[in-house]
Amino acid sequence: MKSVPQKSATAGKRRLPLPFFGVDVNFCRNAQCAHFGVRPDPRDGRGLKLGPANANFPRGEVGGTGDKKYFECGSCGQESVIKNNRAVVEEYTRLRRLQRFNGKACSNEGCPSHGKTLERWPDLYLKSGRTKAGHQRYACKRCRSTFTVGHPARNHRRQSKNGQILKLLVHGTSLSKITEIANVAPRDVYRKLDFIYDRIREFTDQREGDLRDVD
C-alpha cells in the first residue's frame, strides 16, 4: 500500500496576522521608505525557500515573540511592531462609539435626527428662545425636542475649581487629597470628573472630524 504523502506543516503558515474587515496595519511604517504602507508577503517561508512575491519588493524579516514580535522592512531595515488587526478594528470601533456622544443634538432616540449634531446638520434645527441665563435654546424640526447650547460649565456653581482639580488629577493626586486641597465635597469632585470626561470626548470628536475632512 502506498503511503499518503503528508502535507508540510509550514505550507499554510503565515508570518503576519490576517487582515480584519480589510484593515491591515502590518507594513513598513517608515514614511520615507519606498515601501511605506505596502503590505509585505505574509507567507512564512521557513523551510520552503520562498522567493519574494515581487522581485522589486524584498521580503523583509519577522522576529521577536509575543508582544515584542516585529517586522523588519527588507528595503530600509526599520522595525515595526506587529499588531493584531482585529484588536485595532475593535478599539477603533469602541472609540468611535464613544465619540458619537454630543449634547448639541436631538436626544430623542426615536427621531431620525437623533445624534445628528447642530454643527454638522444645522438645517435640522431651529432657534427656540433663550434660557434665563441667556443661553441659546434649539428645537428639532422633526420631533420638537429641545436642547441648550452654552458654555459647558454653565451648570457648575464653582467653575473656578475645574482647572485646579484637573491639574491635581494630571499630577496623580488622590481623590481624598483633591477634596481636601480644593475644599470641595467628594460628590462635587465626581461631578467634575464627569464634566472633564465629557469635554475630552467632545475635543476628541472635533479632532477626528477635522481629520475626516482632510483629503
Side-chain angles (χ1 to χ4, degrees):
M1 179 181 294
K2 295 182 179 180
S3 61
V4 179
Q6 293 183 354
K7 188 176 180 181
S8 173
T10 58
K13 282 188 176 181
R14 293 174 59 94
R15 59 178 184 163
L16 297 172
L18 286 166
F20 190 75
F21 279 95
V23 174
D24 190 350
V25 298
N26 295 303
F27 45 74
C28 178
R29 300 193 186 103
N30 180 8
Q32 298 179 345
C33 178
H35 297 110
F36 169 71
V38 181
R39 296 177 182 176
D41 186 352
R43 300 173 297 169
D44 188 342
R46 290 176 296 180
L48 301 179
K49 297 181 180 180
L50 292 178
N54 186 335
N56 296 323
F57 193 164
R59 281 178 53 83
E61 299 291 338
V62 173
T65 58
D67 295 338
K68 297 183 179 180
K69 195 173 182 180
Y70 63 87
F71 168 73
E72 180 181 337
C73 178
S75 178
C76 69
Q78 177 165 313
E79 297 178 358
S80 303
V81 177
I82 294 178
K83 302 290 186 180
N84 185 321
N85 294 313
R86 178 169 185 164
V88 171
V89 173
E90 290 177 349
E91 179 64 9
Y92 172 80
T93 304
R94 185 186 70 85
L95 293 174
R96 290 302 306 151
R97 190 180 297 115
L98 288 176
Q99 293 162 10
R100 290 172 187 169
F101 169 82
N102 196 314
K104 302 175 183 178
C106 177
S107 58
N108 182 4
E109 295 183 358
C111 178
S113 299
H114 172 67
K116 295 184 177 180
T117 61
L118 174 66
E119 291 81 359
R120 292 184 177 275
W121 290 274
D123 295 338
L124 298 179
Y125 305 99
L126 51 84
K127 292 183 178 180
S128 181
R130 291 183 176 272
T131 64
K132 293 182 179 180
H135 300 297
Q136 183 65 59
R137 183 185 291 111
Y138 286 86
C140 174
K141 290 183 179 180
R142 295 182 176 179
C143 68
R144 297 299 176 180
S145 62
T146 62
F147 58 89
T148 302
V149 176
H151 193 277
R154 63 183 182 274
N155 296 325
H156 285 224
R157 295 181 179 180
R158 305 177 69 180
Q159 300 179 16
S160 60
K161 297 293 184 179
N162 294 337
Q164 182 183 13
I165 291 176
L166 177 59
K167 290 180 180 179
L168 292 172
L169 287 171
V170 171
H171 287 84
T173 308
S174 65
L175 295 182
S176 59
K177 286 291 185 181
I178 291 177
T179 58
E180 181 180 348
I181 296 173
N183 192 25
V184 293
R187 179 188 59 185
D188 294 332
V189 172
Y190 283 106
R191 286 178 176 176
K192 291 185 182 299
L193 287 177
D194 292 337
F195 167 77
I196 293 172
Y197 174 67
D198 289 340
R199 301 293 75 72
I200 292 174
R201 287 173 60 182
E202 288 184 1
F203 170 79
T204 306
D205 181 55
Q206 182 179 1
R207 183 192 63 178
E208 294 293 334
D210 293 340
L211 290 176
R212 286 192 295 268
D213 295 334
V214 175
D215 187 356

